[in-house]
Amino acid sequence: RDVQVNVAYRWFLGLSLTDKVPDASTLSANRIRRFKDSDIYQSIFDEIVLQAIKRKLVGGHTLYTDSTHLKANANKKHFQKVEVE
């Protein structure tokens, strides 16, 4: 939604003020269909991290994690033991 109204995002993506913003499902479908057998997303991520390290934006001394707690939709009193190989 931000891309629809934020000019900076539009500029970054190369969209004009009148261009239609791609739907998120389009991006997901492209990722799944076009890049299924590719490591391009991992390569892009790795390159961004390497550039951040080179510019001393990250150092690896502190680790942050997402500690969001979600309540499980499970019944602790009802379960089945299943043996798997």
Side-chain angles (χ1 to χ4, degrees):
R1 295 238 175 247
D2 285 342
V3 176
Q4 293 174 346
V5 296
N6 190 318
V7 177
Y9 289 150
R10 286 181 163 276
W11 172 82
F12 179 78
L13 295 171
L15 299 172
S16 73
L17 293 175
T18 57
D19 286 340
K20 184 178 178 189
V21 176
D23 187 79
S25 63
T26 302
L27 300 175
S28 293
N30 277 332
R31 180 180 57 82
I32 292 166
R33 290 185 196 130
R34 295 178 64 199
F35 304 113
K36 179 175 64 171
D37 298 323
S38 170
D39 67 344
I40 188 69
Y41 283 101
Q42 186 66 48
S43 297
I44 292 169
F45 178 79
D46 292 346
E47 180 61 29
I48 291 169
V49 171
L50 290 172
Q51 287 183 26
I53 291 170
K54 185 188 287 186
R55 290 170 177 79
K56 298 185 181 352
L57 297 173
V58 295
H61 302 292
T62 306
L63 174 67
Y64 294 96
T65 62
D66 180 358
S67 299
T68 304
H69 294 279
L70 298 175
K71 186 174 182 177
N73 185 13
N75 184 341
K76 294 179 184 177
K77 296 178 183 177
H78 182 264
F79 61 91
Q80 292 179 318
K81 288 186 179 183
V82 178
E83 186 175 327
V84 294
E85 292 182 26

